[in-house]
């Protein structure tokens, strides 16, 4: 019998992939390891996005950033260039009506990260340009630093808040039950994976952590695979970006 699949994406992005996994005949359980919530004060986000026409490039770090931002964007300025690091974000912009010709992304969709986005952009052309980066309250500084090094004027705009869920008695019981039966875990964030291990450690039992380290992780990026190995996980499959690659990895599993 195929292993259960544990999908750890934030709830808003989980269900489309969960449905496709179920269509493969696999049992899937959605366990969001990051909770995404709006910022308490929306005024700075709203005010910054009201001035989009003053920017030459707007970079979105995730689908969550796009969802949060487009709640305050009545119309995308004609000709404004967008940039994204992953295929899911590119699809989210297309769904918002942004033309594909106005979306920069890594040349190879299998490599969804800031490094490959920067390779795809004409950085020298950004000298003197105003660039807006829409992201969560915290994140890597690589993108902003690279744009500044190219001579751009960079504004980093927080659009949402990420947090590991609180360890309630119900979640503790659920994690204990999930660790007991081998499963395929789809993990799309290093932060989420560290949060999972932190939750397990908070249970004050090394047995559960040891059990989970023998489960199979499916991850889209080498940074997450490296984090997984650093945390002691023994079975990690690196797929590259995109749901199609995740599904292919699942289909190759017994």
């Amino acid at each position: 019998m195929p292993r259960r699949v544990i999908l750890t994406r934030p709830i808003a992005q989980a269900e489309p992939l969960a449905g496709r996994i179920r269509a493969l005949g696999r049992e899937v359980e959605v366990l969001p390891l990051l909770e995404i919530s709006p910022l308490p004060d929306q005024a700075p986000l709203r005010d910054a996005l009201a001035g989009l026409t003053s920017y030459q490039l707007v970079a979105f770090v995730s689908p969550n950033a796009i969802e949060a931002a487009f709640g305050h964007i009545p119309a995308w300025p004609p000709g404004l260039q967008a940039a994204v690091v992953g295929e899911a974000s590119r699809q989210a912009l297309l769904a918002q009506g942004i033309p594909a010709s106005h979306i920069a992304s890594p040349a190879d969709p299998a490599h969804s990260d800031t490094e490959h986005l920067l390779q795809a952009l004409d950085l020298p052309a950004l000298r003197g340009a105003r660039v807006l980066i829409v992201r969560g309250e915290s994140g890597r500084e690589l993108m902003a630093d690279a744009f500044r090094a190219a001579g751009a004027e960079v504004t980093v705009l927080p659009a949402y808040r990420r947090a590991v869920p609180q360890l309630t008695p119900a979640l503790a019981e659920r994690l204990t039950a999930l660790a007991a039966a081998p499963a395929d875990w789809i993990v799309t964030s290093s932060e989420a994976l560290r949060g999972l291990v932190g939750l397990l450690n908070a249970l004050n039992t090394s047995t559960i952590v040891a059990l989970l380290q023998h489960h199979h992780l499916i991850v889209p990026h080498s940074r997450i695979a490296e984090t997984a190995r650093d945390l002691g996980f023994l079975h990690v499959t690196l797929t590259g970006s995109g749901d199609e690659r995740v599904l292919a990895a699942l289909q190759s599993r017994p």
Side-chain angles (χ1 to χ4, degrees):
M1 183 175 179
R3 290 182 172 193
R4 177 187 300 181
V5 178
I6 313 300
L7 180 56
T8 66
R9 278 181 176 170
I11 192 68
Q13 284 89 48
E15 193 50 44
L17 180 56
R20 297 182 70 181
I21 295 170
R22 294 186 187 104
L24 297 176
R26 301 289 295 271
E27 180 186 357
V28 60
E29 183 163 347
V30 177
L31 177 72
L33 292 180
L34 287 178
E35 296 176 344
I36 307 298
S37 59
L39 299 178
D41 182 3
Q42 293 284 298
L45 176 63
R46 183 177 60 250
D47 293 346
L49 293 172
L52 277 186
T53 54
S54 68
Y55 293 96
Q56 285 71 56
L57 177 69
V58 180
F60 298 93
V61 303
S62 68
N64 292 310
I66 293 169
E67 181 178 357
F70 273 83
H72 301 285
I73 301 174
W76 187 256
L80 178 59
Q81 185 78 10
V84 295
V85 299
E87 181 62 19
S89 293
R90 193 179 78 87
Q91 292 298 326
L93 283 184
L94 291 173
Q96 293 289 348
I98 310 305
S101 59
H102 287 64
I103 304 172
S105 61
D108 181 357
H111 295 97
S112 58
D113 56 27
T114 297
E115 290 86 347
H116 285 84
L117 172 62
L118 294 173
Q119 291 175 15
L121 291 170
D122 183 2
L123 292 179
L126 293 177
R127 179 166 296 278
R130 298 191 72 218
V131 175
L132 180 66
I133 299 174
V134 186
R135 69 176 201 187
E137 280 188 307
S138 61
R140 300 174 75 201
E141 299 300 327
L142 176 62
M143 186 185 296
D145 290 344
F147 289 151
R148 292 188 181 106
E153 178 188 339
V154 180
T155 299
V156 177
L157 180 63
Y160 60 94
R161 179 170 289 170
R162 293 188 304 267
V164 175
Q166 294 293 313
L167 185 61
T168 62
L171 180 56
E173 181 179 354
R174 190 178 181 193
L175 289 172
T176 302
L178 290 175
D184 293 324
W185 291 66
I186 298 173
V187 180
T188 54
S189 161
S190 293
E191 182 181 359
L193 186 56
R194 287 190 293 267
L196 172 62
V197 173
L199 290 168
L200 295 173
N201 285 331
L203 295 175
N204 292 320
T205 169
S206 59
T207 304
I208 295 178
V209 177
L211 283 172
L212 198 65
Q213 286 170 333
H214 286 81
H215 288 215
H216 175 233
L217 300 189
I218 297 173
V219 304
H221 194 276
S222 57
R223 280 201 317 276
I224 308 172
E226 182 179 351
T227 299
R229 295 186 182 101
D230 288 345
L231 291 170
F233 288 89
L234 303 174
H235 309 290
V236 182
T237 295
L238 175 60
T239 65
S241 179
D243 288 354
E244 297 297 337
R245 292 177 174 84
V246 170
L247 293 167
L250 281 175
Q251 287 177 296
S252 70
R253 298 282 298 163

